[in-house]
Amino acid sequence: MQVQFNSDSSVMGTENVATRIEAQVREKLSRFEDRLTRLEIHVRDENARKGGADDKACVIEARPRSGAPLSVTAHAADVDTAARVAGTKLAKLLDRQFGKAEKHKHDPSPDKVI
């Protein structure tokens, strides 16, 4: 699974932040690794230098091997917390998505006897 990390210029320590967040998200989503081709993680500070509560955002987009891309967004006071919340949201979404796919796989119906 390929992971792409993007951040805006207001997120400080980008390389350190990228390494930390990527490891955190990979751990959270490790059970889906064989079903995903790529994750895109986007972190940003929505109001830059102004500060404020819950102004950091993390968007994670997952690309399943089959099906449409799925994404979640989380806001928090810092990017690590936003990434952790977004990773948890995405894990729940993938559980539902892949669970539904497994549930709707049907064995071929047996021949009817009349």
Side-chain angles (χ1 to χ4, degrees), residues 43-88:
V43 295
R44 66 182 181 274
D45 186 340
E46 294 193 329
N47 56 5
R49 297 181 187 132
K50 294 179 184 176
D54 296 345
D55 67 334
K56 308 298 187 285
C58 179
V59 178
I60 304 175
E61 182 179 302
R63 306 273 175 121
R65 292 196 186 282
S66 61
L70 304 166
S71 67
V72 296
T73 303
H75 293 84
D78 61 86
V79 291
D80 290 301
T81 303
R84 185 173 51 252
V85 171
T88 300

Side-chain angles (χ1 to χ4, degrees), residues 1 3-8 11-29 39-45 56-61 74 76 78-88:
M1 170 177 65
V3 177
Q4 181 179 350
F5 184 85
N6 300 299
S7 67
D8 67 6
V11 176
M12 302 303 289
T14 302
E15 188 171 321
N16 187 23
V17 169
T19 304
R20 246 188 0 253
I21 289 176
E22 181 179 334
Q24 180 179 323
V25 171
R26 276 185 182 274
E27 181 182 336
K28 183 72 75 175
L29 302 175
L39 288 177
E40 291 186 26
I41 304 168
H42 303 269
V43 295
R44 66 182 181 274
D45 186 340
K56 308 298 187 285
C58 179
V59 178
I60 304 175
E61 182 179 302
D78 61 86
V79 291
D80 290 301
T81 303
R84 185 173 51 252
V85 171
T88 300

